[in-house]
Amino acid sequence: MELNRPDWWHKWPDGKSVVRSGDIKALTGLRIIAAVWVVLFHFRPLLRDAAPGFRDALAPVLNCGAQGVDLFFILSGFVLTWNYFDRMGWSWSTRGTLHFLWLRLARVWPVYLVTLHLAALWVIFTLHVGHVPWQDLSGFNAVSYVRQVLLVQLWFQPFFDGSSWDGPAWSISAEWLAYLLFGGLVLVIFRMARATRARSLMWLAVAASLPPVAMLLLSGQFYTPWSWLPRIVMQFIAGALVAAAVGRLRLTARGRRGAGYASLLLLAAVVGLLYLLDAHPLHGVQDTGGLVDVLFVPLVMTLAIGAGSLPALLSTRVMVFGGQVSFCVYMVHELVHTAWIWAAAQFELTLHGGVGKLIVAGLLAITLIAAIVLFYVVEEPARRWMRRMVDVGPPETDTLSDPAAQPVTGKLQSVDRALKARPKSISVRAG
């Protein structure tokens, strides 16, 4: 939908205009890092049995893999704001908002529905095969099923554990809430970006990401009743503010290289802080590793504007492809994990010795292969089909929640002429 842009769009209050060019590949590559972090977090018991030395060496990082979901939330807020800022920010449009929501469904719903029903079939299978039923069936009923299909199952529960038939689906239910709020949020962010400097927007983004951390320090635990709500809302808003800040920046090539090196230092700081907090936890705080969330906002920003070093690594073809299939990896990995746990209990299997290492490596390989198959057989065909229903023309390259890629890391150029157009989208997926 084309909108007439007011005069101030062409020039910000400082009289200068900005052109964004190139897709932000580094953020796509970052998604596979976050997805693997979550996968290894859930695979810790298997790693403990098969490769205890490896597991112990990486324990501070693996034990905090749940924080990868917070990184997904920030990426979702960033990419959706970046892609829809000028399409939805000028004024409220019910039709435009419904169109946006349908496109979000096209991105996440097909894979979500497939993994949901695979999880249901798996439970039915374990009821009729062997002597080890997979889990308590009290949560499997008609009302629960309807909530699962409508992506609202999490909204009725204070804890996300047990809320979804396919475990990781809780975060998709949380993101669906963020999508429903996005139409109003982008109006606010749009006006804030008009009146606020990039530096101030950045500090506001950091501040928005702090409430979950503050709750951690107050309660001593990251996982408390309804803690998922401030996580999705505030991290999503933080990502949106980062996108607005990036849109106001004008960087030289030297500045972009500096941002690239800063992103590398920030990633090292995330890992270093996890080891430091593991060795010296704060008194009265059980989930101290959750404090690394404060570094995610500057990490996403420096990757979005950076060049060389870490942004270049995350922009390689392998990392970008990994980011493209990361949503499928995230959604399918727990099915593979739970299937092994059931098989191990059913047939009294163990993971000790060299064979155990091969089995774990095989399970990870199965996860990746299944994700690639889902991507090519379900996600992409179904997305294009659902987009054609609303006659949007050729599918855009955007893929983050789209939390999921093409040329170069987000390149910002200062120009003297008026802003003619923004790039169509960036190809980062948000699951």
Side-chain angles (χ1 to χ4, degrees):
M1 180 174 61
E2 293 297 326
L3 297 172
N4 294 323
R5 294 169 174 167
D7 292 339
W8 66 261
W9 169 261
H10 300 296
K11 289 188 178 181
W12 293 104
D14 57 11
K16 298 180 180 179
S17 56
V18 179
V19 171
R20 302 182 179 101
S21 64
D23 297 325
I24 306 182
K25 283 184 171 182
L27 296 185
T28 304
L30 181 62
R31 286 191 54 79
I32 190 59
I33 300 296
V36 170
W37 197 10
V38 175
V39 170
L40 294 180
F41 170 74
H42 288 142
F43 274 60
R44 285 175 303 161
L46 280 61
L47 292 172
R48 179 193 60 213
D49 295 337
F54 174 81
R55 193 266 186 189
D56 292 342
L58 294 181
V61 175
L62 300 183
N63 291 341
C64 295
Q67 308 312 128
V69 177
D70 296 89
L71 188 52
F72 280 129
F73 291 160
I74 293 172
L75 282 169
S76 294
F78 181 101
V79 175
L80 293 182
T81 301
W82 184 270
N83 286 341
Y84 290 93
F85 187 75
D86 59 330
R87 285 187 263 177
M88 297 177 63
W90 306 99
S91 61
W92 173 263
S93 168
T94 300
R95 180 180 180 181
T97 301
L98 292 175
H99 182 258
F100 161 80
L101 291 173
W102 180 257
L103 296 185
R104 293 310 92 211
L105 277 179
R107 172 59 59 196
V108 303
W109 212 20
V111 171
Y112 172 92
L113 289 178
V114 168
T115 54
L116 164 66
H117 289 92
L118 285 176
L121 290 174
W122 172 250
V123 171
I124 294 172
F125 173 81
T126 61
L127 286 175
H128 299 283
V129 176
H131 60 277
V132 183
W134 171 234
Q135 63 185 59
D136 179 18
L137 297 182
S138 59
F140 288 77
N141 53 57
V143 173
S144 175
Y145 176 77
V146 172
R147 289 176 178 174
Q148 302 282 329
V149 170
L150 297 179
L151 299 164
V152 299
Q153 71 273 19
L154 181 64
W155 303 3
F156 300 90
Q157 299 193 35
F159 294 101
F160 58 74
D161 279 346
S163 64
S164 302
W165 294 7
D166 178 25
W170 73 267
S171 65
I172 311 305
S173 180
E175 285 217 10
W176 181 236
L177 175 61
Y179 298 163
L180 293 174
L181 299 175
F182 181 75
L185 173 64
V186 71
L187 296 175
V188 177
I189 298 295
F190 187 85
R191 284 147 184 78
M192 291 177 65
R194 177 184 179 182
T196 311
R197 294 177 180 271
R199 181 181 300 176
S200 299
L201 288 168
M202 181 61 190
W203 283 115
L204 286 171
V206 172
S209 70
L210 292 180
V213 176
M215 292 179 60
L216 166 63
L217 293 174
L218 288 171
S219 66
Q221 299 182 52
F222 206 80
Y223 188 42
T224 55
W226 301 104
S227 60
W228 62 266
L229 186 56
R231 286 176 70 185
I232 178 58
V233 173
M234 300 312 299
Q235 302 287 17
F236 190 89
I237 291 174
L241 288 167
V242 173
V246 170
R248 299 274 348 238
L249 287 174
R250 297 175 300 277
L251 294 181
T252 63
R254 182 178 180 181
R256 291 194 298 273
R257 288 194 300 270
Y261 289 125
S263 69
L264 183 60
L265 291 176
L266 282 165
L267 182 60
V270 169
V271 176
L273 185 59
L274 288 174
Y275 277 90
L276 178 63
L277 293 174
D278 181 72
H280 306 284
L282 297 180
H283 178 69
V285 180
Q286 179 177 339
D287 302 320
T288 317
L291 296 177
V292 297
D293 278 18
V294 300
L295 298 177
F296 289 164
V297 163
L299 176 63
V300 169
M301 183 171 188
T302 51
L303 285 173
I305 63 178
S309 60
L310 182 61
L313 175 63
L314 294 177
S315 300
T316 58
R317 183 174 298 181
V318 171
M319 296 302 294
V320 168
F321 178 73
Q324 291 172 338
V325 301
S326 61
F327 177 54
C328 293
V329 170
Y330 178 75
M331 291 301 296
V332 79
H333 80 275
E334 192 62 10
L335 294 175
V336 176
H337 177 220
T338 54
W340 165 257
I341 293 177
W342 177 85
Q346 179 72 37
F347 303 107
E348 299 182 355
L349 304 175
T350 65
L351 292 173
H352 300 295
V355 174
K357 293 182 176 64
L358 291 176
I359 291 175
V360 173
L363 293 174
L364 293 173
I366 291 172
T367 299
L368 179 59
I369 293 170
I372 294 172
V373 170
L374 271 179
F375 177 75
Y376 283 113
V377 176
V378 177
E379 182 176 346
E380 283 298 286
R383 178 178 67 89
R384 290 193 293 266
W385 175 62
M386 291 181 68
R387 290 179 72 97
R388 286 196 297 269
M389 291 183 185
V390 291
D391 192 27
V392 296
E396 297 172 350
T397 56
D398 100 67
T399 53
L400 177 67
S401 292
D402 260 354
Q406 302 280 11
V408 210
T409 52
K411 183 179 179 183
L412 307 177
Q413 298 177 339
S414 178
V415 297
D416 295 326
R417 63 184 180 276
L419 175 59
K420 292 182 179 180
R422 297 174 69 246
K424 292 181 180 179
S425 65
I426 60 178
S427 45
V428 179
R429 299 178 181 240

